mmCIF file of all heavy atoms in Angstrom:
data_model
loop_
_atom_site.group_PDB
_atom_site.id
_atom_site.type_symbol
_atom_site.label_atom_id
_atom_site.label_comp_id
_atom_site.label_asym_id
_atom_site.label_seq_id
_atom_site.Cartn_x
_atom_site.Cartn_y
_atom_site.Cartn_z
ATOM 1 N N GLU H 1 241.760 154.584 292.345
ATOM 2 C CA GLU H 1 242.550 155.815 292.385
ATOM 3 C C GLU H 1 243.565 155.764 293.528
ATOM 4 O O GLU H 1 244.713 156.154 293.367
ATOM 5 C CB GLU H 1 241.621 157.011 292.560
ATOM 6 C CG GLU H 1 242.306 158.347 292.386
ATOM 7 C CD GLU H 1 241.332 159.507 292.452
ATOM 8 O OE1 GLU H 1 240.286 159.443 291.791
ATOM 9 O OE2 GLU H 1 241.642 160.466 293.174
ATOM 10 N N GLU H 2 243.118 155.243 294.679
ATOM 11 C CA GLU H 2 244.039 155.101 295.817
ATOM 12 C C GLU H 2 245.207 154.184 295.469
ATOM 13 O O GLU H 2 246.346 154.465 295.816
ATOM 14 C CB GLU H 2 243.300 154.509 297.023
ATOM 15 C CG GLU H 2 242.854 155.523 298.017
ATOM 16 C CD GLU H 2 242.193 154.877 299.221
ATOM 17 O OE1 GLU H 2 242.669 153.815 299.696
ATOM 18 O OE2 GLU H 2 241.196 155.442 299.674
ATOM 19 N N ARG H 3 244.909 153.065 294.792
ATOM 20 C CA ARG H 3 245.976 152.146 294.393
ATOM 21 C C ARG H 3 246.971 152.821 293.465
ATOM 22 O O ARG H 3 248.177 152.635 293.597
ATOM 23 C CB ARG H 3 245.388 150.900 293.724
ATOM 24 C CG ARG H 3 245.287 149.742 294.671
ATOM 25 C CD ARG H 3 244.863 148.462 293.967
ATOM 26 N NE ARG H 3 243.591 148.064 294.565
ATOM 27 C CZ ARG H 3 242.435 148.021 293.940
ATOM 28 N NH1 ARG H 3 242.351 148.293 292.669
ATOM 29 N NH2 ARG H 3 241.348 147.675 294.564
ATOM 30 N N ALA H 4 246.450 153.596 292.525
ATOM 31 C CA ALA H 4 247.335 154.286 291.577
ATOM 32 C C ALA H 4 248.211 155.300 292.291
ATOM 33 O O ALA H 4 249.355 155.534 291.902
ATOM 34 C CB ALA H 4 246.513 154.969 290.489
ATOM 35 N N ASN H 5 247.684 155.925 293.358
ATOM 36 C CA ASN H 5 248.433 156.938 294.098
ATOM 37 C C ASN H 5 249.143 156.382 295.324
ATOM 38 O O ASN H 5 249.777 157.136 296.062
ATOM 39 C CB ASN H 5 247.496 158.078 294.510
ATOM 40 C CG ASN H 5 247.002 158.852 293.319
ATOM 41 O OD1 ASN H 5 247.736 159.094 292.380
ATOM 42 N ND2 ASN H 5 245.738 159.227 293.338
ATOM 43 N N SER H 6 249.031 155.075 295.552
ATOM 44 C CA SER H 6 249.712 154.451 296.686
ATOM 45 C C SER H 6 251.208 154.384 296.384
ATOM 46 O O SER H 6 251.632 154.544 295.234
ATOM 47 C CB SER H 6 249.168 153.036 296.900
ATOM 48 O OG SER H 6 249.631 152.177 295.867
ATOM 49 N N PRO H 7 252.023 154.120 297.396
ATOM 50 C CA PRO H 7 253.460 153.969 297.134
ATOM 51 C C PRO H 7 253.757 152.924 296.059
ATOM 52 O O PRO H 7 254.590 153.151 295.181
ATOM 53 C CB PRO H 7 254.020 153.545 298.498
ATOM 54 C CG PRO H 7 253.095 154.178 299.476
ATOM 55 C CD PRO H 7 251.731 154.086 298.833
ATOM 56 N N VAL H 8 253.051 151.797 296.087
ATOM 57 C CA VAL H 8 253.276 150.748 295.083
ATOM 58 C C VAL H 8 252.871 151.257 293.699
ATOM 59 O O VAL H 8 253.592 151.065 292.718
ATOM 60 C CB VAL H 8 252.502 149.457 295.440
ATOM 61 C CG1 VAL H 8 252.565 148.452 294.312
ATOM 62 C CG2 VAL H 8 253.048 148.852 296.719
ATOM 63 N N GLY H 9 251.713 151.920 293.608
ATOM 64 C CA GLY H 9 251.250 152.446 292.330
ATOM 65 C C GLY H 9 252.201 153.496 291.766
ATOM 66 O O GLY H 9 252.514 153.489 290.566
ATOM 67 N N CYS H 10 252.669 154.388 292.639
ATOM 68 C CA CYS H 10 253.617 155.423 292.196
ATOM 69 C C CYS H 10 254.940 154.803 291.754
ATOM 70 O O CYS H 10 255.517 155.213 290.740
ATOM 71 C CB CYS H 10 253.857 156.433 293.313
ATOM 72 S SG CYS H 10 252.429 157.468 293.691
ATOM 73 N N ALA H 11 255.417 153.810 292.512
ATOM 74 C CA ALA H 11 256.672 153.146 292.139
ATOM 75 C C ALA H 11 256.517 152.404 290.811
ATOM 76 O O ALA H 11 257.422 152.453 289.967
ATOM 77 C CB ALA H 11 257.105 152.180 293.246
ATOM 78 N N ASN H 12 255.377 151.744 290.624
ATOM 79 C CA ASN H 12 255.140 151.037 289.354
ATOM 80 C C ASN H 12 255.092 152.008 288.183
ATOM 81 O O ASN H 12 255.676 151.758 287.130
ATOM 82 C CB ASN H 12 253.838 150.238 289.408
ATOM 83 C CG ASN H 12 253.958 149.001 290.261
ATOM 84 O OD1 ASN H 12 255.046 148.502 290.521
ATOM 85 N ND2 ASN H 12 252.823 148.506 290.720
ATOM 86 N N SER H 13 254.398 153.115 288.375
ATOM 87 C CA SER H 13 254.280 154.114 287.313
ATOM 88 C C SER H 13 255.644 154.705 286.961
ATOM 89 O O SER H 13 255.999 154.825 285.784
ATOM 90 C CB SER H 13 253.325 155.215 287.763
ATOM 91 O OG SER H 13 253.228 156.219 286.804
ATOM 92 N N LEU H 14 256.408 155.067 287.996
ATOM 93 C CA LEU H 14 257.730 155.640 287.764
ATOM 94 C C LEU H 14 258.661 154.608 287.123
ATOM 95 O O LEU H 14 259.447 154.940 286.231
ATOM 96 C CB LEU H 14 258.313 156.164 289.077
ATOM 97 C CG LEU H 14 259.451 157.150 288.961
ATOM 98 C CD1 LEU H 14 259.016 158.401 288.203
ATOM 99 C CD2 LEU H 14 259.949 157.538 290.339
ATOM 100 N N SER H 15 258.536 153.362 287.566
ATOM 101 C CA SER H 15 259.351 152.290 287.002
ATOM 102 C C SER H 15 259.069 152.131 285.510
ATOM 103 O O SER H 15 259.995 151.968 284.708
ATOM 104 C CB SER H 15 259.062 150.979 287.738
ATOM 105 O OG SER H 15 259.802 149.939 287.183
ATOM 106 N N LYS H 16 257.803 152.197 285.157
ATOM 107 C CA LYS H 16 257.409 152.062 283.754
ATOM 108 C C LYS H 16 257.932 153.253 282.941
ATOM 109 O O LYS H 16 258.493 153.080 281.858
ATOM 110 C CB LYS H 16 255.890 151.986 283.663
ATOM 111 C CG LYS H 16 255.354 151.805 282.278
ATOM 112 C CD LYS H 16 253.832 151.746 282.310
ATOM 113 C CE LYS H 16 253.263 151.810 280.909
ATOM 114 N NZ LYS H 16 251.807 151.915 280.924
ATOM 115 N N ASP H 17 257.752 154.471 283.464
ATOM 116 C CA ASP H 17 258.162 155.671 282.742
ATOM 117 C C ASP H 17 259.679 155.786 282.588
ATOM 118 O O ASP H 17 260.169 156.243 281.556
ATOM 119 C CB ASP H 17 257.641 156.931 283.446
ATOM 120 C CG ASP H 17 256.134 157.076 283.359
ATOM 121 O OD1 ASP H 17 255.511 156.414 282.496
ATOM 122 O OD2 ASP H 17 255.568 157.845 284.162
ATOM 123 N N LEU H 18 260.411 155.399 283.628
ATOM 124 C CA LEU H 18 261.864 155.584 283.613
ATOM 125 C C LEU H 18 262.641 154.294 283.362
ATOM 126 O O LEU H 18 263.872 154.318 283.354
ATOM 127 C CB LEU H 18 262.323 156.197 284.944
ATOM 128 C CG LEU H 18 261.742 157.556 285.316
ATOM 129 C CD1 LEU H 18 262.255 157.998 286.679
ATOM 130 C CD2 LEU H 18 262.078 158.591 284.258
ATOM 131 N N LYS H 19 261.923 153.186 283.192
ATOM 132 C CA LYS H 19 262.564 151.892 282.968
ATOM 133 C C LYS H 19 263.586 151.578 284.085
ATOM 134 O O LYS H 19 264.772 151.370 283.844
ATOM 135 C CB LYS H 19 263.220 151.838 281.595
ATOM 136 C CG LYS H 19 262.214 151.980 280.453
ATOM 137 C CD LYS H 19 262.888 152.018 279.101
ATOM 138 C CE LYS H 19 261.964 152.133 277.938
ATOM 139 N NZ LYS H 19 260.829 152.994 278.000
ATOM 140 N N LEU H 20 263.059 151.571 285.311
ATOM 141 C CA LEU H 20 263.908 151.317 286.472
ATOM 142 C C LEU H 20 264.291 149.846 286.558
ATOM 143 O O LEU H 20 263.533 148.969 286.144
ATOM 144 C CB LEU H 20 263.170 151.703 287.756
ATOM 145 C CG LEU H 20 262.723 153.149 287.920
ATOM 146 C CD1 LEU H 20 261.999 153.323 289.249
ATOM 147 C CD2 LEU H 20 263.893 154.106 287.823
ATOM 148 N N THR H 21 265.456 149.598 287.120
ATOM 149 C CA THR H 21 265.870 148.221 287.409
ATOM 150 C C THR H 21 265.083 147.763 288.638
ATOM 151 O O THR H 21 264.458 148.573 289.337
ATOM 152 C CB THR H 21 267.377 148.147 287.726
ATOM 153 O OG1 THR H 21 267.626 148.872 288.938
ATOM 154 C CG2 THR H 21 268.218 148.695 286.588
ATOM 155 N N HIS H 22 265.131 146.469 288.924
ATOM 156 C CA HIS H 22 264.438 145.933 290.096
ATOM 157 C C HIS H 22 264.951 146.603 291.382
ATOM 158 O O HIS H 22 264.167 146.952 292.265
ATOM 159 C CB HIS H 22 264.614 144.412 290.176
ATOM 160 C CG HIS H 22 263.957 143.807 291.368
ATOM 161 N ND1 HIS H 22 262.590 143.716 291.496
ATOM 162 C CD2 HIS H 22 264.494 143.294 292.507
ATOM 163 C CE1 HIS H 22 262.304 143.167 292.663
ATOM 164 N NE2 HIS H 22 263.444 142.885 293.288
ATOM 165 N N GLU H 23 266.261 146.785 291.469
ATOM 166 C CA GLU H 23 266.853 147.406 292.662
ATOM 167 C C GLU H 23 266.383 148.856 292.809
ATOM 168 O O GLU H 23 266.059 149.306 293.905
ATOM 169 C CB GLU H 23 268.394 147.358 292.608
ATOM 170 C CG GLU H 23 268.980 145.968 292.733
ATOM 171 C CD GLU H 23 268.899 145.152 291.436
ATOM 172 O OE1 GLU H 23 268.779 145.748 290.331
ATOM 173 O OE2 GLU H 23 268.938 143.910 291.529
ATOM 174 N N GLN H 24 266.360 149.587 291.692
ATOM 175 C CA GLN H 24 265.900 150.979 291.730
ATOM 176 C C GLN H 24 264.434 151.049 292.147
ATOM 177 O O GLN H 24 264.056 151.883 292.963
ATOM 178 C CB GLN H 24 266.067 151.646 290.356
ATOM 179 C CG GLN H 24 267.485 151.968 289.970
ATOM 180 C CD GLN H 24 267.559 152.508 288.547
ATOM 181 O OE1 GLN H 24 266.959 151.947 287.626
ATOM 182 N NE2 GLN H 24 268.306 153.594 288.375
ATOM 183 N N LYS H 25 263.624 150.161 291.591
ATOM 184 C CA LYS H 25 262.203 150.157 291.918
ATOM 185 C C LYS H 25 261.991 149.882 293.407
ATOM 186 O O LYS H 25 261.150 150.508 294.050
ATOM 187 C CB LYS H 25 261.470 149.118 291.073
ATOM 188 C CG LYS H 25 259.970 149.141 291.267
ATOM 189 C CD LYS H 25 259.286 148.141 290.341
ATOM 190 C CE LYS H 25 257.801 148.091 290.598
ATOM 191 N NZ LYS H 25 257.115 147.119 289.753
ATOM 192 N N THR H 26 262.767 148.965 293.962
ATOM 193 C CA THR H 26 262.674 148.650 295.392
ATOM 194 C C THR H 26 263.025 149.869 296.233
ATOM 195 O O THR H 26 262.324 150.189 297.204
ATOM 196 C CB THR H 26 263.600 147.461 295.737
ATOM 197 O OG1 THR H 26 263.231 146.343 294.926
ATOM 198 C CG2 THR H 26 263.506 147.095 297.198
ATOM 199 N N GLU H 27 264.090 150.579 295.857
ATOM 200 C CA GLU H 27 264.489 151.785 296.588
ATOM 201 C C GLU H 27 263.434 152.880 296.472
ATOM 202 O O GLU H 27 263.108 153.552 297.453
ATOM 203 C CB GLU H 27 265.838 152.296 296.083
ATOM 204 C CG GLU H 27 267.007 151.444 296.517
ATOM 205 C CD GLU H 27 268.337 152.032 296.057
ATOM 206 O OE1 GLU H 27 268.610 153.193 296.402
ATOM 207 O OE2 GLU H 27 269.075 151.314 295.359
ATOM 208 N N VAL H 28 262.887 153.053 295.269
ATOM 209 C CA VAL H 28 261.863 154.072 295.037
ATOM 210 C C VAL H 28 260.609 153.750 295.856
ATOM 211 O O VAL H 28 259.992 154.638 296.434
ATOM 212 C CB VAL H 28 261.550 154.203 293.523
ATOM 213 C CG1 VAL H 28 260.278 154.974 293.275
ATOM 214 C CG2 VAL H 28 262.721 154.866 292.809
ATOM 215 N N LEU H 29 260.245 152.477 295.926
ATOM 216 C CA LEU H 29 259.086 152.068 296.723
ATOM 217 C C LEU H 29 259.292 152.438 298.192
ATOM 218 O O LEU H 29 258.384 152.954 298.847
ATOM 219 C CB LEU H 29 258.829 150.571 296.570
ATOM 220 C CG LEU H 29 257.679 149.996 297.388
ATOM 221 C CD1 LEU H 29 256.362 150.691 297.058
ATOM 222 C CD2 LEU H 29 257.557 148.500 297.156
ATOM 223 N N THR H 30 260.483 152.197 298.695
ATOM 224 C CA THR H 30 260.799 152.560 300.080
ATOM 225 C C THR H 30 260.673 154.070 300.276
ATOM 226 O O THR H 30 260.139 154.535 301.293
ATOM 227 C CB THR H 30 262.233 152.097 300.436
ATOM 228 O OG1 THR H 30 262.316 150.694 300.228
ATOM 229 C CG2 THR H 30 262.597 152.440 301.861
ATOM 230 N N ILE H 31 261.124 154.843 299.308
ATOM 231 C CA ILE H 31 261.048 156.308 299.383
ATOM 232 C C ILE H 31 259.582 156.763 299.387
ATOM 233 O O ILE H 31 259.189 157.622 300.176
ATOM 234 C CB ILE H 31 261.825 156.954 298.214
ATOM 235 C CG1 ILE H 31 263.325 156.690 298.378
ATOM 236 C CG2 ILE H 31 261.535 158.455 298.127
ATOM 237 C CD1 ILE H 31 264.165 157.007 297.138
ATOM 238 N N PHE H 32 258.750 156.162 298.536
ATOM 239 C CA PHE H 32 257.329 156.529 298.500
ATOM 240 C C PHE H 32 256.599 156.102 299.771
ATOM 241 O O PHE H 32 255.702 156.803 300.242
ATOM 242 C CB PHE H 32 256.638 155.945 297.264
ATOM 243 C CG PHE H 32 256.901 156.703 295.996
ATOM 244 C CD1 PHE H 32 257.318 156.046 294.851
ATOM 245 C CD2 PHE H 32 256.724 158.084 295.933
ATOM 246 C CE1 PHE H 32 257.554 156.736 293.671
ATOM 247 C CE2 PHE H 32 256.965 158.784 294.754
ATOM 248 C CZ PHE H 32 257.377 158.111 293.623
ATOM 249 N N ASP H 33 256.977 154.953 300.345
ATOM 250 C CA ASP H 33 256.391 154.526 301.630
ATOM 251 C C ASP H 33 256.698 155.560 302.714
ATOM 252 O O ASP H 33 255.831 155.943 303.495
ATOM 253 C CB ASP H 33 256.948 153.167 302.065
ATOM 254 C CG ASP H 33 256.249 151.997 301.411
ATOM 255 O OD1 ASP H 33 255.068 152.126 301.043
ATOM 256 O OD2 ASP H 33 256.896 150.933 301.264
ATOM 257 N N GLU H 34 257.950 155.984 302.748
ATOM 258 C CA GLU H 34 258.377 156.985 303.729
ATOM 259 C C GLU H 34 257.626 158.302 303.517
ATOM 260 O O GLU H 34 257.179 158.931 304.466
ATOM 261 C CB GLU H 34 259.885 157.209 303.606
ATOM 262 C CG GLU H 34 260.449 158.174 304.621
ATOM 263 C CD GLU H 34 261.940 158.401 304.403
ATOM 264 O OE1 GLU H 34 262.659 157.441 304.081
ATOM 265 O OE2 GLU H 34 262.376 159.558 304.564
#
């Protein structure tokens, strides 16, 4: 559950749902880390 709710898990989930590009996913991961 922690992994799914971690910044990486949230970025992966959002990437899958919104079909993010690699660059977008990297930016989103940074936002979730912050």
Side-chain angles (χ1 to χ4, degrees):
E1 190 175 313
E2 262 183 40
R3 261 187 242 115
N5 293 321
S6 72
V8 172
C10 291
N12 286 339
S13 177
L14 198 60
S15 178
K16 182 180 170 187
D17 291 342
L18 300 178
K19 297 176 179 41
L20 300 179
T21 65
H22 179 71
E23 292 78 22
Q24 287 175 313
K25 185 177 176 181
T26 303
E27 287 183 57
V28 166
L29 178 58
T30 302
I31 293 167
F32 282 130
D33 277 333
E34 183 183 321

